[in-house]
Amino acid sequence: MQAANKDLQDSEYRLFRDFLEQQCGIVLGDNKQYLVKSRLAPLMQRFGLASLSELLNKTLSPFERQLRSAVIDAMTTNETLWFRDNYPYELLKKQILPEFEKEQKSVKIWSAASSSGQEPYSISMTALEYQQTRPGAFPGGVTVLGTDISNAMLEHCQRAEYDGLALSRGLSPERRTKFFEDSGHGMMRLKDAVRRNVSFRHLNLLDSYTLLGRFDIIFCRNVLIYFSPDVKAKIIRQFAQVLNPRGYLFLGASESLSSLNNDFEMLRCNPGIIYRKKN
């Protein structure tokens, strides 16, 4: 069998880079050909294509919907951790959830790029831990919505099953014992108590958020770094539109609103920074 051709011309890379930014806002640098090759090479065999050039050319065709979807899945899927950076979940438990614990209506939290599910499920576990120490808190309940552009990742999220490697990334043995059960074949599944508060749906962050409803807290961590300044500003503006007054926005440790938007005030915590929507 002839080896697949993974060569990529600069002109082909530029066309694909423009396509990716137009479709989902992700901006690739001038020298990220290696990333395209590593992410898309496995798709060549799956779709019976002999070269990376052929794959990219077909991707640009509006009629190749299945291939397009697979390519966007491959380029937007990122590894993630349970309780990533830890401090956002500590802030949630110690500082933010206490403000909402008497709410009669449901406290709504949005994980705006749920990837393989670790962030929204970590949020749900944090809320459960808080409720266990404060019986009667949140009479209206806590709901978590996870959205992602990747349908493959959303299916993974809904299965709520993880292997030993995924469970080793940021999850303590205590939480693993408390919140997971053996589902066979070396996999562990989140218990119903964690899963029942979390739902998932497909969303491209370039689209409108109005059909999602309104939220008290939004997590969009380690996502904005992939977008251009104009797209970042658009996303933050739309977050402000669906966030309730005095609601909270969590960004990644290396991300900042920095003149992108005036709807939020920055709160310095120890450690970390969070943003609160103004009245």
Side-chain angles (χ1 to χ4, degrees), residues 138-183:
F138 312 119
V142 177
T143 62
V144 184
L145 173 67
T147 65
D148 204 88
I149 193 173
S150 167
N151 287 319
M153 284 292 99
L154 291 170
E155 290 174 10
H156 182 92
C157 291
Q158 287 165 337
R159 287 195 301 272
E161 284 189 319
Y162 299 89
D163 61 19
L165 179 61
L167 291 173
S168 71
R169 295 170 60 80
L171 191 70
S172 69
E174 293 78 14
R175 281 175 168 149
R176 176 172 176 162
T177 300
K178 184 176 182 180
F179 293 117
F180 288 80
E181 56 194 5
D182 191 340
S183 61

Side-chain angles (χ1 to χ4, degrees), residues 22 31 38 88 95 102 108 126 131 133 137 179 194 223-225 229-230 250 255:
Q22 181 184 34
N31 300 301
S38 65
Q95 183 171 330
K102 302 264 193 281
K108 296 184 64 177
T126 300
Q131 287 174 294
T133 62
F179 293 117
V194 181
V223 178
L224 296 181
I225 52 175
D230 286 347
F250 282 88
E255 297 171 320

Side-chain angles (χ1 to χ4, degrees), residues 80-83 89 114-123 125 156-157 162 166-167 169:
T80 187
L81 311 174
W82 301 98
F83 297 91
Y89 303 95
S114 57
S115 188
S116 48
Q118 281 87 333
E119 181 176 88
Y121 285 131
S122 294
I123 295 169
M125 284 186 259
H156 182 92
C157 291
Y162 299 89
L167 291 173
R169 295 170 60 80

Side-chain angles (χ1 to χ4, degrees), residues 43-219:
L43 298 181
M44 293 163 58
Q45 181 177 4
R46 176 177 159 189
F47 286 91
L49 302 174
S51 69
L52 197 57
S53 292
E54 184 182 3
L55 187 149
L56 293 187
N57 286 330
K58 281 184 174 291
T59 298
L60 298 178
S61 166
F63 304 107
E64 297 284 346
R65 292 184 180 180
Q66 187 178 4
L67 177 60
R68 275 190 166 202
S69 178
V71 165
I72 290 173
D73 276 356
M75 293 303 302
T76 57
T77 299
N78 297 293
E79 287 192 30
T80 187
L81 311 174
W82 301 98
F83 297 91
R84 184 170 182 174
D85 298 326
N86 198 49
Y87 75 83
Y89 303 95
E90 289 301 306
L91 285 174
L92 193 62
K93 188 185 298 184
K94 295 177 180 177
Q95 183 171 330
I96 297 176
L97 288 180
E99 295 183 22
F100 294 98
E101 72 166 41
K102 302 264 193 281
E103 289 280 350
Q104 297 298 312
K105 66 177 181 63
S106 174
V107 177
K108 296 184 64 177
I109 306 175
W110 176 19
S111 170
S114 57
S115 188
S116 48
Q118 281 87 333
E119 181 176 88
Y121 285 131
S122 294
I123 295 169
S124 179
M125 284 186 259
T126 300
L128 285 172
E129 289 173 345
Y130 184 86
Q131 287 174 294
Q132 286 162 1
T133 62
R134 300 281 295 177
F138 312 119
V142 177
T143 62
V144 184
L145 173 67
T147 65
D148 204 88
I149 193 173
S150 167
N151 287 319
M153 284 292 99
L154 291 170
E155 290 174 10
H156 182 92
C157 291
Q158 287 165 337
R159 287 195 301 272
E161 284 189 319
Y162 299 89
D163 61 19
L165 179 61
L167 291 173
S168 71
R169 295 170 60 80
L171 191 70
S172 69
E174 293 78 14
R175 281 175 168 149
R176 176 172 176 162
T177 300
K178 184 176 182 180
F179 293 117
F180 288 80
E181 56 194 5
D182 191 340
S183 61
H185 309 290
M187 304 289 284
M188 299 288 285
R189 191 170 195 235
L190 278 154
K191 292 181 178 178
D192 287 345
V194 181
R195 291 168 38 230
R196 72 168 63 104
N197 299 324
V198 187
S199 61
F200 296 94
R201 65 185 291 178
H202 179 271
L203 181 76
N204 186 332
L205 286 175
L206 300 187
D207 295 339
S208 170
Y209 310 159
T210 53
L211 294 179
L212 300 180
R214 300 188 68 84
F215 298 92
D216 300 296
I217 303 163
I218 297 176
F219 278 66

